Amino acid sequence: MQIPYTVTARPDTGVYNAKLGVWLFLASEVMLFGALFSSYILLRVGAPTWPHGYELLNVPLATFNTVVLITSSITMVMSWASLMVKDFRKYRIYMGSTFLLGLVFLIVKAFEYGAKFGLGIYPAENTFYAIYFTLTGLHGLHVVGGMIVNAYFWGPGSKMWHTDPVRFTNRVEVAGLYWHFVDLVWIFLFPSLYLL
Amino acid sequence: MDQTQTIDFKKHVRTYIAVFVALMALTVVTVAVSYLHLPITAAVVVALIIAGVKGSLVASYFMHLISERKLIYWTLALTFIFFLALMLLPLGSESDKIVN
Amino acid sequence: MQQWLGMPIDAAAHGAEIDQMTVVMHWIMLILFIGWGLFFTYAIIRFRRTKSVRADYAGVKSHFSSYVEGAVAVVEAILIIGFAVPLWAKRVNAFPPEGESTVVRVVAEQFAWNAHYPGADGVFGKTDIKLVSAENPLGLDRSDPAAKDDITTINQLTLPVNKPVIVYLSSKDVIHSFGITYLRVKQDAIPGEQIPVWFTPTKTNEQIREELTKPYSIKGQTVSVGRAVNRLAFFEYKDKSGEVIVTAGGFIGEPEVQKLMEAGIDEVVVTKDHSTMVAMQEYKDADGNIVVEKGGRLSDDVVLKLVAMGITEVLAAPDTPLEIACAQLCGLGHYRMRGFVTIQTEEQYKAWLAEEASYLTQ
Amino acid sequence: MANVATAHHDTAHHQEEELGFWRKYVFSIDHKVIGLQYMFTALVFLFLGFTLMMLMRWQLAYPGEPLPGEIFIGLPAVIGVALLLIGRWQRKLTSLIGMIFLGLAGLVWYMVTDEVLMPGGVMLPELYNSFGAMHGTIMVFLGVVPLAVGAFGNYLVPLQIGAPDMAFPKLNATSYWSYFLGGVTMLVSFFVPGGAANSGWTSYAPLSVIATQGQTLWLIGMIFLITSSLLGSVNFIVTIIQLRAAGMTFMRLPFFVWAQFITSFLLLLAFPPLEAAGIMQLLDRVVGTSFFMPSGLVVSGQALPYAGGGSPLLWQHLFWFLAHPEVYVLILPAMGIVAEVIANNTRKPLWGYKSMVYAAIFLGFMSFIVWAHHMFMTGMGTVISTFFQTTTMIISIPSVIILTALVISLWGGSIRFSVPMLFALAFLPMFGIGGLTGLPLGLAPTDIHLHDTYYVIGHFHYVVAPGTIFALFAGLYYWFPKVTGRQMNETLGRIHFIGSFICMNVIFMPMFIQGLAGVSRRLYDGGAQYSHAQGVLYLNEVMSVGAWALGVFQLFFIFNFFWSIKKGKEAKENPWDATTLEWATPTPPPHGNFLTLPEVHRGPYEYSVPGHDRDFVPQHVDGQLRSTKTQKV
Ligand code: HEA
Ligand code: HEA
Ligand code: CUA
Ligand SMILES: [Cu+2]
């Protein structure tokens, strides 16, 4: 028997299953990163001395990455908007660029990490680097996850557009919610690690 | 595609662009401020305010929270409360230790 | 109720308050439980199917329960405001001035308690982990003038009675917990932190021993022959031919075990280790010479002598009644991470300090 | 109803032809099959956790005496062989479980004959600690939670709310398999050098960071388990909010569903911090970061190669941020089961259903801000300790409300002492004891004397063992006919109950005495060294004998369980004359549960409604009633 409200919204709650699902998932993500931020604060407050992020980390690169991620956010939302107006071609373009921007972000990150490793600096160096690598690393994994999803909806997954457009649009919206969250995390990560 | 959709599609896109510009601007600001090397508390306050604004922009417009259902609000409100507890209570116990 | 709860004797000034609060709480718990229990029991008996065939849709109509719940809330509020908060505040805020108290550093490690006394100058000498070694577990820097007169002991905390004690607690490796049951003290020792604890002992070890004195059975322990190897026989054992295999107090080795088995004896009584106990009264044998004086250890031969005299129960007390029990899992030796506390009169304590100091000079 | 049922039956057969064995039983996405997978896995783990404890109890009763391995291998071996015998002329399942029990016997054999950790059959402290840690971990994370939430929740929630399945069936399967992997990882950790994790289920740093390899696997296992719980909880919440049948308003949900709903929120929001902490501890252990490692650590004379600057208390905060809500995760579903069973067997509505619901919500909310009552002895000042003492006392009120409502529900009932009811009734006073003894622990001054003593062990075992475990037994006996279409044997059930009830109290009551005397927990020799423990040492043997006896009484359950699957006496469609929706489907429910989604017309517990001939009115049955309100509050 069919599971109700997979596509259409349930009248009294006003949402369809996947949407509620992803918001709940994001709630748990908030607690996950929350715990790491909390650890960051606790360690920093407890430390006798703590370096300023901009003394040790590459702010210009990170700023560039911020721009990249924000841009990827808008291309993501545009891809969804295009589907709303049934413009599949535009969707393909926007979704594609979202994926590519994600890739750019990762490459830049790779350079950042590489530079540090080159200097023989690893997470074990001190608690600052430990939390820096952990937070950015975990965020990076989230980017990768998002990119896999986006790639799927750009390529094979997009067949569904022709069979069940409404459902496909929902899926893209949900993927978008996740992607924006990843962006949102970075928006907090960037100042707290690099600028303070 | 029919008229009405194109209309509000255009409207949507305009808001998205606006938000995008705002985000860029704020990014520039926050980085710029960091070069002033303000005293740490001031710096934290500024950085968090800016990040907060940027965050809420993304959430409200890109994630459409502005026009979201109550159900979602409640879930997030609950999460936020516990998030605060997770931030503040450990700090509180660290700052209230037995001393002599 | 305190006895009834089996709370151990308390030898600290603040102990009574904690015990009293514990007792109060248990009374409340008991009353609540009996209250609910009675209602519960009555209900399941009265409303069993055979008695009440058709249930009553509404059930209880009164809102009495709300009052009960309210009452519980009120009682808990009183407990917090009236007992918990003030008591805790006394423990963690109202520290006595260091001048008028005995100040000690205690550094826990796997699996021992290192005590560090500031010595005559009342100043703790520097410590440095680079200096840590088997002989110098604290890493005390003897070259530091303040350290010259510092006294350090391992698993032994000697303190004067009726004078506040402030212990600065820390750990070298993992988290331990500094628990002294009879002093109602417990505080985690956390590496990287130094946490102060304070208490005022009100009884010396002698007094505590007196309190703990009770008839103590020195009977042996029955074990299967297999397990009796390398133990001392409690009775004399003969084989069928009446030849002695092992005398009372005799050592049971492999050969003895063999003989015992051949003799068809499968269970034997061996001496139990009573050496942690001391006699609390003098025991003389028939011709008046002392078997064990008051305070003497109940070593195996003493026990055997007493048994030979037909005494199986003596007035005894633990030799070291006050123990530091580690109350936080800290590794494989957690269970044996035991330190000893000796509470003495001011004079004895001074003497002890002097003695320790004398070792330093040589 | 009847004809509908038959209709269901042929659809059921129809289904079975469609899916092959693997798709149907192993990689199924049917919430009922997944629920059963959870149930069997969790029961086996419960038994393993118990076995570890039976071994430990030997060391506690007879410190240093060689352990009679044969006996302890015997228990699971006997069960295994017996199940294989039953299985010979029964379904594959039983034989499978039989082999698993033989596997358990093998595991025990491996451990008791391990010359490194058990030279001459004498358990070494390392092994004792490792068993203690794994007992706690297995019982909490691999036993009770998967059984209470994964099994009961999965099987019943969709049925009780009138849904065809969970909202995300594939996700559901994923979370089971993630749990399974977590379990396997934990099992593997028994075989690595140094044995399984041995730093307590709390894994306090720095001890856990410098511990043997087992700890690394423990952390990896936990990450699987946490992932599983997160996926599960999202699924439950969406299912309950979105898939309620027409007319199933929130205030018409069975209390059990409410319990699962709140539990899911606890899992969803409390687990991530432990996941973060787990990752950090893993990094500390593997790549040498110092999140939990302060500067200047010296272990056995050697300075540790850590940069330092970390905080051991950070771990405790993150751990207890999960672990306190976790303990309510252990109790809420149990309360839910007990509520169902009591309503059904008193033949009357729950008293104060609404207040119970609100209390449960409040309980769930508060449980996030009391965690540091586990940390009173870590050096807390007045302000923060006052905060946590207050919240701790406040959180006890909702529990009081729920328990009181359940006790009052008995009043005016027509009580059937069926086996499930016996367990449910026993739950009340047992939880009462456990809960009440939580109060002196919740106030810092009294906690000074009781912290980390056997009093704590007694406290929480009264809530989890004769509490939760009994509730789970009640549920197993109660819903058995729903799943198998057969009843479990009454007499065996009663023996199982009486035996377990007595043994549980023989085991856990003495713990309070030992605790008040000041005997610490986690002592390899049960305190034999300490003079303050001498007076209560004899109790160790008493408790151990109790534990072994408890083990023997479980045989009655296990055999009854598997025997009844095929041989139990046939059960009616609705053997307990229950009102909730799970009984409105045929037995066993087909894939998709309902042919036409039911419509709900009234509250969950319309028993003995005045002016009705039958003493129960199912939720889905139409027809005007004098009162459609759930009942007076
Ligand atoms: C299901 C699990 C569960 C539950 C429900 C509880 C419930 C409570 N717990 Fe418990 N607790 C644990 C599991 C649980 N706990 C575990 C596992 C630990 C140890 C962790 C470790 O260190 O390893 C622990 C430890 C623990 C501590 C730390 C002790 C220490 O380490 O020093 C504290 C301290 O505040 C505490 C307090 C409480 C309180 C106040 C409640 C309250 O919620 C209780 C409220 C309930 C009542 C007040 C009962 C009311 C009911 C009645 C009175 C009805 C009676 C009915 C009849 C007689 C018919 N618990
Ligand atoms: C849900 C949690 C839970 C449960 C149910 C139990 C159940 C039991 N526990 Fe557990 N225990 C803990 C959680 C739990 N424990 C924790 C967290 C600790 C602290 C660990 C630490 O120190 O870090 C602990 C510690 C602990 C100690 C202290 C060890 C120490 O400090 O050194 C002891 C001592 O006796 C003990 C005993 C028991 C006993 C006898 C049971 C009995 O009640 C067991 C009852 C079990 C059953 C009745 C099994 C039922 C299952 C079946 C019958 C299987 C059927 C199978 C099929 C049908 C396929 N436990
Ligand atoms: Cu030190 Cu336990
Ligand atoms: Cu708790």
Side-chain angles (χ1 to χ4, degrees):
Chain A
M1 179 181 300
Q2 271 307 321
I3 296 167
Y5 312 120
T6 45
V7 184
T8 55
R10 176 180 167 119
D12 56 353
T13 62
V15 294
Y16 54 89
N17 300 347
K19 191 173 194 176
L20 181 56
V22 79
W23 273 111
L24 289 166
F25 172 68
L26 293 184
S28 79
E29 291 282 80
V30 170
M31 298 308 280
L32 178 66
F33 283 99
L36 288 170
F37 273 105
S38 175
S39 317
Y40 167 66
I41 299 170
L42 209 71
L43 292 175
R44 182 165 188 166
V45 171
T49 63
W50 190 272
H52 290 286
Y54 49 73
E55 294 163 355
L56 305 177
L57 304 176
N58 188 329
V59 176
L61 267 188
T63 316
F64 173 73
N65 251 353
T66 314
V67 175
V68 170
L69 218 48
I70 293 178
T71 321
S72 79
S73 244
I74 185 153
T75 53
M76 188 74 190
V77 71
M78 288 306 292
S79 68
W80 172 74
S82 325
L83 286 182
M84 290 299 276
V85 293
K86 316 214 167 16
D87 184 340
F88 186 63
R89 204 182 44 78
K90 269 224 186 67
Y91 159 76
R92 263 302 188 58
I93 297 166
Y94 281 124
M95 189 53 119
S97 30
T98 311
F99 177 85
L100 292 177
L101 286 163
L103 199 60
V104 174
F105 178 89
L106 288 181
I107 293 167
V108 175
K109 214 85 253 44
F111 274 109
E112 241 184 297
Y113 277 16
K116 290 279 166 279
F117 296 155
L119 298 171
I121 296 174
Y122 296 95
E125 183 75 13
N126 59 32
T127 36
F128 171 80
Y129 280 110
I131 198 78
Y132 160 76
F133 278 109
T134 313
L135 268 170
T136 52
L138 196 64
H139 176 266
L141 286 178
H142 280 72
V143 174
V144 173
M147 284 168 64
I148 295 172
V149 175
N150 294 349
Y152 176 73
F153 287 142
W154 182 85
S158 64
K159 284 194 202 67
M160 183 186 257
W161 170 254
H162 307 293
T163 55
D164 187 350
V166 187
R167 186 160 191 194
F168 183 65
T169 315
N170 288 348
R171 288 188 162 191
V172 173
E173 181 183 17
V174 167
L177 286 173
Y178 171 79
W179 188 257
H180 298 311
F181 176 79
V182 175
D183 180 14
L184 206 151
V185 171
W186 179 259
I187 285 177
F188 282 91
L189 237 163
F190 171 56
S192 21
L193 284 178
Y194 290 81
L195 303 182
L196 293 178
Chain B
M1 53 176 108
D2 61 73
Q3 279 308 318
T4 56
Q5 268 180 323
T6 15
I7 304 299
D8 63 31
F9 174 62
K10 289 235 168 60
K11 219 162 50 291
H12 276 290
V13 175
R14 244 180 272 112
T15 30
Y16 294 150
I17 305 292
V19 172
F20 176 69
V21 175
L23 289 173
M24 287 304 165
L26 286 169
T27 312
V28 176
V29 175
T30 189
V31 175
V33 171
S34 78
Y35 282 101
L36 302 178
H37 298 337
L38 298 171
I40 187 68
T41 38
V44 170
V45 173
V46 176
L48 280 190
I49 290 176
I50 297 178
V53 175
K54 290 167 76 180
S56 32
L57 281 175
V58 172
S60 328
Y61 294 100
F62 290 173
M63 304 171 91
H64 310 109
L65 263 188
I66 278 283
S67 53
E68 200 38 275
R69 289 285 179 292
K70 275 209 185 44
L71 179 60
I72 308 285
Y73 286 153
W74 284 120
T75 321
L76 294 181
L78 192 70
T79 314
F80 186 66
I81 295 171
F82 296 146
F83 175 82
L84 283 184
L86 182 56
M87 288 289 152
L88 300 179
L89 290 178
L91 263 183
S93 16
E94 276 306 297
S95 55
D96 181 27
K97 286 224 173 280
I98 306 178
V99 284
N100 177 33
Chain C
M1 176 120 167
Q2 186 158 337
Q3 276 56 34
W4 186 81
L5 273 180
M7 300 278 290
I9 62 170
D10 118 58
H14 70 281
E17 295 170 330
I18 290 181
D19 294 1
Q20 178 203 16
M21 181 172 166
T22 316
V23 169
V24 170
M25 297 226 46
H26 281 80
W27 273 120
I28 297 170
M29 288 149 63
L30 195 68
I31 292 164
L32 284 175
F33 186 76
I34 291 176
W36 269 290
L38 288 176
F39 183 94
F40 173 77
T41 334
Y42 180 71
I44 56 176
I45 293 170
R46 168 162 166 203
F47 295 102
R48 62 186 189 279
R49 168 139 274 186
T50 44
K51 280 295 285 321
S52 93
V53 179
R54 191 173 170 104
D56 161 17
Y57 181 80
V60 173
K61 304 221 177 21
S62 86
H63 282 287
F64 179 67
S65 64
S66 333
Y67 303 121
V68 177
E69 287 147 10
V72 175
V74 173
V75 171
E76 289 181 344
I78 296 170
L79 281 170
I80 293 178
I81 301 160
F83 291 84
V85 176
L87 281 190
W88 188 251
K90 251 196 233 165
R91 298 282 84 240
V92 302
N93 287 347
F95 280 89
E98 295 205 348
E100 297 156 24
S101 16
T102 322
V103 183
V104 194
R105 275 181 73 228
V106 170
V107 181
E109 74 178 292
Q110 289 175 322
F111 301 98
W113 300 96
N114 304 293
H116 180 184
Y117 295 77
D121 64 357
V123 185
F124 289 108
K126 284 200 204 60
T127 58
D128 176 353
I129 64 166
K130 288 190 212 63
L131 300 174
V132 170
S133 68
E135 311 72 58
N136 185 0
L138 283 166
L140 185 61
D141 177 2
R142 288 288 181 191
S143 64
D144 169 22
K148 293 260 183 299
D149 60 355
D150 289 14
I151 296 167
T152 65
T153 61
I154 298 179
N155 286 334
Q156 175 57 52
L157 194 56
T158 309
L159 299 168
V161 72
N162 293 329
K163 183 174 172 196
V165 179
I166 301 178
V167 176
Y168 287 99
L169 197 60
S170 63
S171 168
K172 277 162 65 178
D173 38 40
V174 302
I175 299 178
H176 303 268
S177 191
F178 179 78
I180 309 173
T181 307
Y182 294 164
L183 297 180
R184 304 292 187 271
V185 171
K186 194 171 287 150
Q187 172 60 56
D188 288 2
I190 298 166
E193 300 189 22
Q194 192 174 63
I195 304 168
V197 200
W198 79 278
F199 54 90
T200 313
T202 53
K203 293 170 186 164
T204 63
N205 278 35
E206 281 76 10
Q207 288 165 310
I208 296 173
R209 257 191 232 105
E210 292 295 343
E211 276 192 49
L212 287 174
T213 302
K214 58 175 168 10
Y216 176 81
S217 160
I218 53 173
K219 290 205 184 63
Q221 164 188 23
T222 323
V223 296
S224 66
V225 173
R227 298 245 178 81
V229 244
N230 308 339
R231 310 275 302 258
L232 298 184
F234 195 75
F235 299 125
E236 180 176 79
Y237 286 92
K238 300 200 181 73
D239 65 12
K240 300 212 175 41
S241 60
E243 177 197 335
V244 176
I245 300 170
V246 56
T247 59
F251 178 81
I252 305 180
E254 292 295 346
E256 285 77 8
V257 171
Q258 278 306 327
K259 292 214 195 72
L260 285 163
M261 286 180 168
E262 284 152 14
I265 303 168
D266 45 12
E267 276 194 336
V268 294
V269 182
V270 297
T271 55
K272 201 147 105 225
D273 179 21
H274 301 291
S275 56
T276 60
M277 305 294 285
V278 291
M280 293 303 287
Q281 86 174 40
E282 186 173 78
Y283 288 90
K284 294 205 182 73
D285 63 11
D287 29 351
N289 39 24
I290 298 170
V291 178
V292 56
E293 73 288 2
K294 186 166 192 264
R297 264 187 202 293
L298 295 178
S299 58
D300 280 345
D301 55 341
V302 170
V303 169
L304 287 164
K305 282 211 196 82
L306 289 167
V307 174
M309 294 154 52
I311 303 173
T312 54
E313 205 173 62
V314 297
L315 278 181
D319 179 29
T320 54
L322 271 182
E323 295 156 322
I324 310 173
C326 183
Q328 184 61 262
L329 181 62
C330 52
L332 58 96
H334 164 59
Y335 74 103
R336 57 176 162 79
M337 182 161 167
R338 175 175 61 151
F340 299 103
V341 186
T342 315
I343 310 290
Q344 302 178 325
T345 61
E346 191 70 31
E347 305 69 53
Q348 292 168 314
Y349 176 67
K350 291 234 163 58
W352 177 79
L353 282 179
E355 188 189 357
E356 290 290 324
S358 68
Y359 296 141
L360 287 175
T361 50
Q362 316 149 5
Chain D
M1 185 66 226
N3 52 356
V4 184
T6 46
H8 280 306
H9 275 312
D10 17 295
T11 48
H13 298 309
H14 178 60
Q15 291 279 358
E16 276 151 30
E17 278 121 39
E18 270 180 7
L19 314 161
F21 172 80
W22 288 91
R23 286 280 319 287
K24 187 156 182 299
Y25 292 112
V26 183
F27 295 111
S28 167
I29 57 169
D30 175 351
H31 73 98
K32 297 180 293 299
V33 180
I34 295 173
L36 295 177
Q37 292 174 325
Y38 262 115
M39 181 184 80
F40 285 110
T41 323
L43 280 172
V44 169
F45 273 117
L46 264 186
F47 191 85
L48 174 59
F50 186 23
T51 312
L52 294 179
M53 186 44 64
M54 287 193 277
L55 292 163
M56 289 167 76
R57 288 282 2 160
W58 173 273
Q59 166 62 28
L60 288 171
Y62 314 110
E65 296 205 15
L67 178 147
E70 326 73 41
I71 300 178
F72 289 98
I73 300 166
L75 191 63
V78 168
I79 298 174
V81 173
L83 292 190
L84 284 179
L85 291 179
I86 303 178
R88 261 204 16 267
W89 35 266
Q90 251 187 49
R91 42 175 65 175
K92 306 186 190 72
L93 177 75
T94 308
S95 329
L96 175 67
I97 304 289
M99 290 178 215
I100 294 177
F101 267 91
L102 289 180
L104 286 186
L107 177 62
V108 177
W109 176 79
Y110 168 82
M111 290 185 296
V112 297
T113 56
D114 179 342
E115 272 307 310
V116 183
L117 290 171
M118 269 189 129
V122 178
M123 187 184 288
L124 290 185
E126 296 88 320
L127 191 61
Y128 179 88
N129 290 350
S130 145
F131 280 5
M134 294 315 280
H135 164 78
T137 309
I138 289 176
M139 282 299 193
V140 174
F141 297 108
L142 289 161
V144 170
V145 173
L147 186 55
V149 181
F152 282 103
N154 246 309
Y155 198 99
L156 292 166
V157 165
L159 289 172
Q160 286 197 327
I161 65 174
D165 201 316
M166 294 290 267
F168 310 113
K170 292 203 188 65
L171 198 66
N172 201 12
T174 319
S175 64
Y176 170 76
W177 286 107
S178 174
Y179 156 65
F180 187 82
L181 283 177
V184 172
T185 317
M186 293 287 184
L187 286 179
V188 170
S189 73
F190 279 98
F191 298 94
V192 300
N198 54 15
S199 311
W201 82 293
T202 49
S203 289
Y204 277 6
L207 179 62
S208 53
V209 175
I210 60 177
T212 50
Q213 275 314 308
Q215 184 65 21
T216 307
L217 284 160
W218 186 89
L219 290 162
I220 296 169
M222 282 309 290
I223 290 174
F224 280 118
L225 295 175
I226 294 171
T227 315
S228 156
S229 287
L230 290 178
L231 301 181
S233 53
V234 169
N235 214 340
F236 274 109
I237 298 174
V238 175
T239 308
I240 294 172
I241 291 180
Q242 293 286 94
L243 303 194
R244 280 168 293 122
M248 178 60 88
T249 60
F250 272 97
M251 279 305 156
R252 283 178 175 175
L253 288 175
F255 188 70
F256 175 78
V257 176
W258 266 110
Q260 292 289 343
F261 188 56
I262 296 157
T263 304
S264 305
F265 270 102
L266 297 189
L267 290 173
L268 181 77
L269 299 176
F271 248 138
L274 184 62
E275 187 147 36
I279 294 169
M280 289 192 272
Q281 197 182 90
L282 207 54
L283 290 173
D284 276 6
R285 287 181 57 86
V286 179
V287 305
T289 55
S290 312
F291 287 109
F292 307 123
M293 304 297 272
S295 315
L297 291 184
V298 181
V299 172
S300 54
Q302 301 301 320
L304 287 185
Y306 279 93
S311 153
L313 288 185
L314 174 58
W315 168 265
Q316 295 192 20
H317 280 296
L318 295 177
F319 179 85
W320 290 118
F321 186 90
L322 158 85
H324 188 87
E326 179 76 8
V327 305
Y328 290 94
V329 169
L330 296 174
I331 204 66
L332 277 168
M335 290 173 166
I337 294 172
V338 170
E340 298 298 299
V341 174
I342 284 188
N344 175 267
N345 287 279
T346 53
R347 316 303 301 160
K348 63 186 286 297
L350 285 180
W351 189 90
Y353 166 85
K354 276 211 179 68
S355 49
M356 282 171 74
V357 170
Y358 296 134
I361 296 172
F362 184 60
L363 183 79
F365 180 84
M366 290 302 290
S367 68
F368 280 88
I369 50 175
V370 303
W371 78 80
H373 64 209
H374 296 269
M375 299 167 61
F376 285 141
M377 297 308 135
T378 56
M380 275 194 202
T382 6
V383 181
I384 197 76
S385 73
T386 307
F387 175 84
F388 281 110
Q389 294 181 76
T390 314
T391 52
T392 303
M393 287 301 115
I394 293 176
I395 201 175
S396 67
I397 301 300
S399 311
V400 173
I401 294 177
I402 295 174
L403 262 283
T404 310
L406 287 173
V407 176
I408 294 183
S409 298
L410 301 170
W411 193 271
S414 163
I415 302 172
R416 294 190 300 223
F417 292 99
S418 58
V419 176
M421 185 58 164
L422 290 175
F423 278 102
L425 286 175
F427 171 91
L428 299 174
M430 294 297 103
F431 177 79
I433 297 175
L436 289 168
T437 48
L439 300 178
L441 299 174
L443 297 174
T446 35
D447 194 38
I448 293 175
H449 181 53
L450 299 174
H451 173 67
D452 254 310
T453 63
Y454 264 90
Y455 194 92
V456 177
I457 303 287
H459 151 66
F460 74 79
H461 279 87
Y462 260 97
V463 271
V464 294
T468 304
I469 294 266
F470 273 14
L472 294 173
F473 280 137
L476 287 168
Y477 283 97
Y478 181 68
W479 280 293
F480 190 86
K482 179 74 243 171
V483 181
T484 62
R486 295 174 183 277
Q487 291 278 17
M488 283 175 76
N489 176 297
E490 280 278 319
T491 326
L492 291 176
R494 289 176 192 282
I495 300 175
H496 175 220
F497 168 72
I498 304 287
S500 303
F501 183 78
I502 295 170
C503 292
M504 286 281 190
N505 286 283
V506 171
I507 301 168
F508 298 120
M509 190 52 77
M511 290 187 176
F512 294 124
I513 303 170
Q514 284 198 334
L516 283 161
V519 182
S520 297
R521 60 191 284 196
R522 295 165 165 173
L523 291 179
Y524 165 67
D525 59 1
Q529 299 212 345
Y530 290 100
S531 72
H532 66 254
Q534 295 310 315
V536 290
L537 221 48
Y538 70 98
L539 289 169
N540 280 332
E541 188 170 3
V542 178
M543 293 188 270
S544 297
V545 173
W548 301 323
L550 180 65
V552 173
F553 277 109
Q554 299 317 309
L555 298 177
F556 290 91
F557 169 70
I558 299 175
F559 296 146
N560 189 357
F561 187 90
F562 287 98
W563 179 272
S564 310
I565 291 178
K566 260 282 187 293
K567 295 278 165 191
K569 84 172 201 301
E570 293 268 359
K572 303 198 264 75
E573 283 283 320
N574 181 358
W576 309 109
D577 294 338
T579 52
T580 42
L581 287 181
E582 75 266 33
W583 304 101
T585 68
T587 301
H591 189 91
N593 299 347
F594 304 88
L595 188 59
T596 53
L597 286 182
E599 207 178 310
V600 174
H601 300 282
R602 60 184 60 77
Y605 307 116
E606 291 301 287
Y607 290 103
S608 312
V609 181
H612 265 260
D613 41 358
R614 296 231 304 313
D615 77 338
F616 70 107
V617 190
Q619 284 189 280
H620 63 287
V621 170
D622 203 345
Q624 285 335 79
L625 281 183
R626 281 239 272 16
S627 118
T628 45
K629 285 221 338 288
T630 312
Q631 79 288 303
K632 338 234 163 321
V633 179

